[in-house]
Amino acid sequence: VIGCRRMNHITLSSPLRIRELQMKPLLVLLLVCVSTTVFCQSKATLFKNYQVSYFGKSGFHPGIKTSASIYELSWSRKQDKQFNVSPMVGLYYHKGNHTGIFAGTEASYRVIYEKGFTWELYGGVAYLRTLLAGQTYEVDSQGEVSQVPLAGSNQFMPSIGIGFGKQNRQWKKLERIYGRVGGYFQYPYNTKWLSNLNVEAGVSFKTKK
């Protein structure tokens, strides 16, 4: 476009069509979260613990993530085992590209050995909102160019991974330290799925009964 200011991003499609595409993953996520909440409330559980961790997109794009267990099932058979359901929120910063803010629900299966070593498998679903760095513009059907405030995308964010940690048996409040390696997808990303790696390093605290 000649005569316009410098453009970092230009949207050539219809703005209405773009917003329709962005709303689809959000509606799916809302249905999943409502179903999970109803399930957990039916068990009449309270918050069991909460976690705070460093969340690194691709390992080195820094972020933070927090979650709290609203449902916990424990049993023993040679080793202690746990199944947890936890709502989560977090954000990360990809310098010069975008900032990501996400919220959703995560489930994990954890095995705890006699000396405190733990490993776990986890998976989750979340709503991801990306906010583009720099100024973003769009072109309407009349060929007019306008700036888009807080431009970004609404995306569906499923995740999966594995974690290792050490259960604490000495301090009253600190329950566990842990690390995780996993991945998540963003959809839609140019109408396709975009895969990402992530790492976590965090601590889990007990809540008062």
Side-chain angles (χ1 to χ4, degrees), residues 36-174:
T36 303
T37 301
V38 171
F39 169 78
C40 293
Q41 287 180 344
S42 68
K43 302 297 182 179
T45 59
L46 300 174
F47 286 94
K48 304 298 182 181
N49 50 52
Y50 58 95
Q51 298 81 39
V52 180
S53 66
Y54 165 84
F55 181 90
K57 177 182 182 292
S58 302
F60 53 85
H61 298 303
I64 188 171
K65 174 182 170 183
T66 182
S67 61
S69 177
I70 57 175
Y71 178 77
E72 182 179 277
L73 177 64
S74 301
W75 69 97
S76 294
R77 185 177 298 175
K78 293 184 179 180
Q79 294 87 29
D80 293 336
K81 299 178 177 64
Q82 291 180 352
F83 174 77
N84 288 272
V85 176
S86 307
M88 61 175 178
V89 295
L91 62 87
Y92 63 84
Y93 176 60
H94 186 161
K95 184 178 179 180
N97 191 281
H98 72 280
T99 297
I101 303 172
F102 58 89
T105 302
E106 193 172 79
S108 63
Y109 168 75
R110 184 176 304 122
V111 177
I112 306 171
Y113 293 88
E114 184 177 353
K115 293 185 178 181
F117 173 76
T118 69
W119 67 268
E120 65 178 334
L121 297 174
Y122 72 91
V125 291
Y127 160 66
L128 172 65
R129 173 65 184 181
T130 59
L131 301 173
L132 298 175
Q135 295 180 337
T136 304
Y137 299 83
E138 65 183 3
V139 182
D140 63 20
S141 59
Q142 304 299 319
E144 296 294 328
V145 178
S146 59
Q147 186 174 346
V148 181
L150 300 177
S153 300
N154 299 309
Q155 297 173 326
F156 179 51
M157 181 185 177
S159 60
I160 191 171
I162 188 170
F164 301 93
K166 182 69 167 60
Q167 203 79 359
N168 176 63
R169 302 185 186 279
Q170 297 178 346
W171 300 347
K172 293 182 179 181
K173 294 293 293 182
L174 178 62

